[in-house]
Amino acid sequence: MPDHSDISGSSNGKADLIVRGNRVVTPDGERSASIHIRGGVIERISSFSDVPTATNIYEAGDFAVMPGLVDTHVHINEPGRTEWEGFFTATRAAAAGGITTLLEMPLNSIPATTTITAFRTKLAAAVGKLSVDTGFWGGVVPGNAHELLGLWEAGCFGFKCFLIDSGVPEFATVGEADLREALPILARVGAPLLGHCELPGPIIEAAKHLPNNASRTFYRTWLALRPRTAEHDAIELLSRLGAEFGARIHVVHLSSADAISQIHKSQAAGRQLTVETCPHYLTFASEDIPERATQFKCAPPIRERENRERLWEGLREGAIDMIATDHSPCPPELKRQDTGDFLDAWGGISSLQLSLPAVWTEAKRRGFSLTHLARWLCEAPARLAGLDQQKGAIAPGRDADLVVWNPDAGFRVDPAQLHHRHKLTPYAGRDLMGIVEATFLRGLKIYERGNFGAAPAGKVLLRGKR
Ligand SMILES: [Zn+2]
């Protein structure tokens, strides 16, 4: 591997901390290096042995040193549904999982982040509880077009919308007419529109064809009710409107791999379309989901094994840009484990702390490298949020957000070890590869082997402010 020593300019004086190791994952690839950190920022990257005497050094040895993960799809639900999750528990789980930046979704909290007043309420609720840096998406709902510019200027990173029932009354579905009001505003300022891409039409149609005796405790009943075409039609609608208005469109949680060819075409035509998928779509297969196992329920649903394999191909080819968790927990009662009824259960999967090992376990099996992982879990999500000068890479000028982890060690998921408010997760009992040793946030060690820093060190991220 070429020696990139001192690619990053000169050092004036000594670093506060050097993190060095044999497997540092930089945008150029994996190599042995020293990361010089000053004032919470990566000052330079040098050769392994370029270490001034009497400097504070963290030796990562043969563990991987990667950028802290940036998870752009997290539901924290505070204020208003804090009994579902919360800033304190979610961001601790993130720190334990090597995630240093979260972007929080505008819905499931009450109020939803669709007005400037609601945004201020959310910011106030987050104060003092953040273990990692956290930014916020605003929401597009019917009738709030006049709020969008204010939300953007106040520091929201972009806007989420639902093309189908969101599951909560405070966050209403938008139709084409609503989007035609919102998109010119978003396009003017360059704000991305994040779409939950399922349209109701194909789902209503699927319900008509469901056999009368279909059991609500079988996963295949839920799967049949959320057909792939609902995703395809929604992606087509958003992609077309995005092109018409010159707006950036981001497809959240892509589940149907059949959409990949359509995504390729849109991207080839120069449309500003980015796509994320989630660890659960890349890990599980619908054929394996047991009866009554409602912890696997989410929308769009986990699909068949062959679909999962083609999602991996979509990542390989670049049609899918990134992976985010869509961590969306609820109190266990709402998962209806008592009845095992897939149609009654809340749709949302809890996984925040497990993102890195879940993705790595499956990626490694398919021959992917740590560089791929850093692209999907760090770089691309930082770019989506416009944080790519600040987060998402081990490079000079970026925040010194790092995860030191052992890619070669495995563990069995024990829910008791999870820091989420609720422990119910489809990953329980699963064997995963990759153990987080330590997490650094802006040069500060916030987590090491089960222990957290004394006080939550995360800050609220506002667009345009560093
Ligand atoms: Zn979500």
Side-chain angles (χ1 to χ4, degrees):
M1 204 164 280
D3 182 8
H4 293 260
S5 301
D6 299 310
I7 48 176
S8 49
S10 61
S11 147
N12 300 312
K14 235 168 45 174
D16 308 325
L17 170 70
I18 290 175
V19 175
R20 70 171 181 176
N22 299 319
R23 302 185 69 182
V24 176
V25 184
T26 72
D28 306 326
E30 192 183 318
R31 64 189 177 102
S32 144
S34 294
I35 305 164
H36 299 246
I37 299 164
R38 206 169 182 202
V41 173
I42 298 172
E43 186 178 45
R44 66 191 183 102
I45 300 160
S46 74
S47 67
F48 182 86
S49 55
D50 172 17
V51 173
T53 48
T55 306
N56 186 13
I57 302 177
Y58 180 94
E59 300 280 5
D62 290 331
F63 292 152
V65 183
M66 239 171 61
L69 274 60
V70 178
D71 192 339
T72 50
H73 195 150
V74 181
H75 297 268
I76 296 180
N77 309 332
E78 182 171 1
R81 287 194 182 85
T82 310
E83 70 279 15
W84 289 25
E85 184 54 286
F87 287 114
F88 185 79
T89 45
T91 61
R92 260 168 96 89
I99 300 165
T100 47
T101 305
L102 297 180
L103 270 288
E104 210 263 340
M105 280 296 169
L107 71 156
N108 299 356
S109 57
I110 305 173
T113 319
T114 53
T115 67
I116 189 78
T117 314
F119 183 42
R120 292 203 183 105
T121 305
K122 189 170 276 198
L123 293 178
V127 169
K129 299 174 190 157
L130 302 177
S131 286
V132 302
D133 287 358
T134 305
F136 299 90
W137 301 115
V140 172
V141 291
N144 84 329
H146 63 286
E147 294 276 357
L148 302 178
L149 209 51
L151 284 164
W152 176 254
E153 281 167 358
C156 283
F157 287 84
F159 298 88
K160 168 85 175 284
C161 71
F162 266 73
L163 299 169
I164 194 166
D165 180 20
S166 72
V168 294
E170 324 76 52
F171 204 88
T173 309
V174 291
E176 182 165 342
D178 306 304
L179 293 172
R180 285 184 172 279
E181 274 187 61
L183 281 169
I185 300 165
L186 271 47
R188 202 159 56 235
V189 296
L193 179 68
L194 285 62
H196 177 117
C197 289
E198 286 182 294
L199 280 188
I203 290 171
I204 294 165
E205 201 52 37
K208 286 185 198 154
H209 295 103
L210 197 69
N212 286 333
N213 62 351
S215 169
R216 297 165 67 105
T217 61
F218 283 127
Y219 183 78
R220 63 171 177 267
T221 303
W222 170 242
L223 180 59
L225 285 170
R226 304 299 280 230
R228 299 181 189 201
T229 45
E231 288 192 69
H232 309 158
D233 292 358
I235 293 168
E236 190 46 45
L237 172 65
L238 277 193
S239 168
R240 173 168 60 78
L241 290 174
E244 184 180 331
F245 290 101
R248 293 169 61 196
I249 301 294
H250 178 71
V251 176
V252 296
H253 53 46
L254 179 75
S255 160
S256 169
D258 289 352
I260 290 173
S261 58
Q262 155 192 10
I263 291 163
H264 270 310
K265 269 186 215 141
S266 290
Q267 290 169 338
R271 293 182 178 180
Q272 302 181 77
L273 183 71
T274 53
V275 179
E276 98 198 5
T277 189
C278 306
H280 39 272
Y281 302 129
L282 297 166
T283 301
F284 303 114
S286 58
E287 295 93 327
D288 301 332
I289 299 177
E291 192 180 358
R292 307 167 69 95
T294 54
Q295 65 273 29
F296 288 87
K297 180 182 175 182
C298 59
I302 293 164
R303 302 188 188 279
E304 297 81 353
R305 191 172 292 112
E306 60 79 24
N307 182 80
R308 176 187 68 193
E309 294 314 308
R310 288 189 295 120
L311 287 176
W312 278 107
E313 286 311 304
L315 280 162
R316 190 190 300 276
E317 297 160 2
I320 303 173
D321 302 86
M322 68 191 79
I323 305 171
T325 58
D326 191 12
H327 176 68
S328 186
C330 67
E333 316 76 91
L334 295 180
K335 276 301 211 181
R336 300 313 309 263
Q337 299 260 296
D338 53 339
T339 61
D341 186 327
F342 275 102
L343 307 192
D344 274 353
W346 168 255
I349 282 182
S350 173
S351 63
L352 187 59
Q353 190 176 327
L354 299 169
S355 174
L356 176 60
V359 175
W360 174 237
T361 302
E362 298 297 321
K364 182 180 158 81
R365 234 170 238 167
R366 292 167 178 82
F368 292 106
S369 67
L370 298 182
T371 312
H372 288 106
L373 226 58
R375 191 184 306 152
W376 301 328
L377 291 167
C378 314
E379 275 179 59
R383 201 177 312 124
L384 170 68
L387 283 166
D388 44 331
Q389 296 304 306
Q390 186 178 348
K391 304 285 189 187
I394 297 179
R398 309 276 181 123
D399 286 352
D401 296 347
L402 305 171
V403 52
V404 179
W405 62 290
N406 184 351
D408 302 313
F411 69 105
R412 181 160 293 174
V413 177
D414 170 6
Q417 302 295 315
L418 298 176
H419 298 277
H420 311 143
R421 168 148 299 162
H422 301 294
K423 316 300 180 191
L424 185 65
T425 171
Y427 292 94
R430 199 170 177 89
D431 290 319
L432 298 179
M433 289 297 286
I435 295 179
V436 174
E437 284 288 315
T439 308
F440 292 84
L441 177 68
R442 288 178 272 105
L444 186 73
K445 199 197 292 164
I446 56 167
Y447 173 83
E448 189 170 35
R449 296 185 184 183
N451 300 306
F452 295 89
K459 65 177 185 189
V460 164
L461 296 172
L462 297 174
R463 188 192 60 78
K465 295 205 177 80
R466 186 165 181 178

